[in-house]
Amino acid sequence: MQLDILAVGAHPDDVELCCGGTLAKMVKNGHKVGIVDVTQGELGTRGTTGIRRKEAAVAARILGCVRENLRIPDGGIDVNSANIKKLITVIRKYRPRMIIIPHWHERHPDHVHTHLLCKEAWFYSGLRKISTTLNSARQAPWRPDSYIHYMQWYEFTPSFIVDITDVYELRQKAVRAHKSQFHNPSSKEPVTKLSEESFMDFVETRAKSYGFKIGVTYGEPFYSVESIGIDDPLKLRLFRG
């Protein structure tokens, strides 16, 4: 199956938190979408790999996405030939038109390393002399047309903001599917930044803030290193002064 968009995250809940609304909107608009988790999140303070795997599967069904896990060690996302080829294999399998990846300036080293891994795999996936196989068959080269960056902990000035108002509740349902990671007053596990009661308020406030900038209720920000062309300036979604 060929995908239109493939979103890549270091840990099983990264994509839902950062661009889940955009993925839900793309699916709603008839596009085929996938998620790749680089690690199983095994170093996470809360949950287990088994729990997180089940949660990720539920979230993917909610969003309407296919999902794969590269099983690269959490905390050990080395940008080496073996790991680059793992991601190249998935890119060539699904042949997406676009990949959505973490921004390079990030608090968590895994997010930075995932950015670098994605950027290298994006380029090298188009080189025919780099050989990969799937189900014993050699894969054809495939380089997505473009990649864009989603926002995690550190903020950036976005190149564009996607209006996710009509799918916001669906996005939040997918986020909440990763319930081991978020606030639960009955949990005996240690508290993390994500499991603080105020974290979901932060998530909603950010989405509202970026939505406000374009005159809608909720938005998700993205950054592109390439210039973005448009057909009609009058179709731009802008804040109305």
Side-chain angles (χ1 to χ4, degrees), residues 49-116:
T49 55
I51 289 171
R52 300 199 71 178
R53 182 166 55 252
K54 290 177 183 177
E55 291 172 346
V58 171
R61 287 196 294 271
I62 291 169
L63 293 175
C65 301
V66 299
R67 190 170 207 146
E68 297 207 8
N69 195 300
L70 298 185
R71 294 179 180 251
I72 293 173
D74 195 6
I77 305 176
D78 297 327
V79 185
N80 57 34
S81 177
N83 288 341
I84 291 169
K85 280 193 172 184
K86 284 184 179 181
L87 186 50
I88 287 175
T89 300
V90 176
I91 291 173
R92 289 176 172 176
K93 174 182 178 179
Y94 290 112
R95 297 175 294 150
R97 295 165 52 192
M98 171 184 284
I99 59 173
I100 307 180
I101 70 177
H103 194 269
W104 63 84
H105 183 51
E106 253 306 307
R107 174 177 176 270
H108 197 317
D110 279 356
H111 301 164
V112 176
H113 298 159
T114 297
H115 164 83
L116 295 172

Side-chain angles (χ1 to χ4, degrees), residues 157-182:
T157 300
S159 303
F160 62 92
I161 299 169
V162 176
D163 176 8
I164 61 165
T165 304
D166 59 336
V167 293
Y168 182 75
E169 291 305 321
L170 188 64
R171 166 194 137 142
Q172 288 305 95
K173 185 178 179 181
V175 169
R176 289 191 295 267
H178 297 274
K179 56 186 178 181
S180 68
Q181 303 305 297
F182 304 117

Side-chain angles (χ1 to χ4, degrees), residues 44-47 180-182 187-193 195-196:
T45 302
R46 298 164 68 93
S180 68
Q181 303 305 297
F182 304 117
S187 174
K188 304 300 182 185
E189 293 189 284
V191 175
T192 68
K193 282 186 177 294
S195 70
E196 290 181 5

Side-chain angles (χ1 to χ4, degrees), residues 11-154:
H11 310 106
D13 54 1
D14 288 351
V15 165
E16 286 86 343
L17 282 167
C18 302
C19 62
T22 299
L23 300 189
K25 186 155 194 168
M26 293 300 98
V27 171
K28 181 180 178 181
N29 290 344
H31 298 294
K32 293 181 173 62
V33 179
I35 299 171
V36 174
D37 302 313
V38 174
T39 77
Q40 299 181 83
E42 62 268 28
L43 292 185
T45 302
R46 298 164 68 93
T48 65
T49 55
I51 289 171
R52 300 199 71 178
R53 182 166 55 252
K54 290 177 183 177
E55 291 172 346
V58 171
R61 287 196 294 271
I62 291 169
L63 293 175
C65 301
V66 299
R67 190 170 207 146
E68 297 207 8
N69 195 300
L70 298 185
R71 294 179 180 251
I72 293 173
D74 195 6
I77 305 176
D78 297 327
V79 185
N80 57 34
S81 177
N83 288 341
I84 291 169
K85 280 193 172 184
K86 284 184 179 181
L87 186 50
I88 287 175
T89 300
V90 176
I91 291 173
R92 289 176 172 176
K93 174 182 178 179
Y94 290 112
R95 297 175 294 150
R97 295 165 52 192
M98 171 184 284
I99 59 173
I100 307 180
I101 70 177
H103 194 269
W104 63 84
H105 183 51
E106 253 306 307
R107 174 177 176 270
H108 197 317
D110 279 356
H111 301 164
V112 176
H113 298 159
T114 297
H115 164 83
L116 295 172
L117 183 70
C118 289
K119 187 175 179 181
E120 296 211 17
W122 167 78
F123 185 84
Y124 291 129
S125 64
L127 301 185
R128 64 182 180 85
K129 290 186 177 179
I130 293 181
S131 178
T132 58
T133 59
L134 182 66
N135 299 326
S136 301
R138 180 165 178 157
Q139 293 181 298
W142 179 271
R143 181 181 298 139
D145 295 334
S146 59
Y147 62 87
I148 56 174
H149 307 83
Y150 55 73
M151 183 181 292
Q152 292 189 268
W153 198 256
Y154 294 157

